[in-house]
Structure formats: C-alpha cells, structure tokens
Amino acid sequence: MEGVQVAGIYVRDQDEALDFYVGKLGFRVHSDVRNGNFRWLTVQYPGQDVQLGLFRPGAPMVDDATAQTLDAAVAKGAMPPLVLSAKDCRAAYAEMRARGVEFTQEPVERYGAVDASFRDPSGNGWKLVER
C-alpha cells in the first residue's frame, strides 16, 4: 500500500464546487473526466499529492433515494468538517474573505491554536487551523 490518493466529498453542483475550490481556495484541477452522466472531478492543493474528489451523489454509486438523503445531509452541514491548515490563520482568513469565502466563525484562539470555520456552496463544513 502507498497511501491515500483521493478523499471525496459530496457536492450539489460540480461546476459550482469547482469554481469555489479553484477560484476561492486556490486548488487546481487534477482530473475532470465524464462517462455519460457520471463525472470524475478531483482538485488538488498545489504541492500536495492527495486529491479532493468533488462528487455528485448518484448512480452508479448510490440509488436516487440515497442521493437525495445525502444531498440533504450535506446541505445541513451534517457531514464531518474537513480541515485546511495555514501558517497564519488570521492572514489566511483575511485573504480568503477577500476572495469571497463566507465564514461561519472568525478566527478564535483556543486549545493552543487559532481556527476559523467556513462552508463550501454545498454546505460542507471546513475548519481553517493554524499549524
């Protein structure tokens, strides 16, 4: 085994997610491949090997009823938060806000670190944590 290559999240709209992750967070497109209605879309943060899959819940992975349930759970912020690290949380917060990222929590100092929170357009929660 060599390690994790792709970690995926569910998104409502892959084009909207692509615009957010590339245009506002600074990721780059790694793969964007279509096979009928299925789209394999992954982005990658510069300098890192792991890809983040931006996937629509649906066939062939899950049935329509499950896809609707997953969409609803993501929109409510029910999925576990993802973590993005920064050398300086407050500076990264200011830069990301200037690019249009809407935060749900401003930088706060706690547990010996500084962190802030935001959501992507689909509702996935993120923590921005100072290293």
Side-chain angles (χ1 to χ4, degrees), residues 8-30:
I9 59 172
Y10 287 125
V11 297
R12 274 192 320 251
D13 180 302
Q14 287 177 301
D15 290 323
E16 177 183 54
L18 185 61
D19 180 57
F20 179 80
Y21 284 94
V22 172
K24 294 185 178 179
L25 297 188
F27 285 70
R28 66 175 181 79
V29 176
H30 182 277

Side-chain angles (χ1 to χ4, degrees), residues 15-128:
D15 290 323
E16 177 183 54
L18 185 61
D19 180 57
F20 179 80
Y21 284 94
V22 172
K24 294 185 178 179
L25 297 188
F27 285 70
R28 66 175 181 79
V29 176
H30 182 277
S31 303
D32 190 354
V33 181
R34 295 174 192 258
N35 184 7
N37 290 331
F38 181 76
R39 182 178 183 188
W40 179 266
L41 176 62
T42 65
V43 294
Q44 192 172 43
Y45 201 78
Q48 293 191 332
D49 293 332
V50 175
Q51 300 164 51
L52 178 63
L54 306 175
F55 303 126
R56 281 285 310 131
M61 310 248 213
V62 297
D63 60 46
D64 288 341
T66 303
Q68 289 175 0
T69 300
L70 289 168
D71 269 342
V74 170
K76 290 179 181 179
M79 306 309 272
L82 300 141
V83 178
L84 194 61
S85 65
K87 289 181 184 175
D88 180 335
C89 183
R90 289 180 177 90
Y93 166 84
E95 183 181 317
M96 291 167 66
R97 279 200 60 198
R99 283 192 247 146
V101 176
E102 295 179 20
F103 281 79
T104 56
Q105 174 207 303
E106 295 181 1
V108 174
E109 197 164 331
R110 60 178 151 202
Y111 310 117
V114 178
D115 71 82
S117 300
F118 64 95
R119 286 188 176 180
D120 73 8
S122 295
N124 289 296
W126 280 88
K127 281 299 224 183
L128 176 63

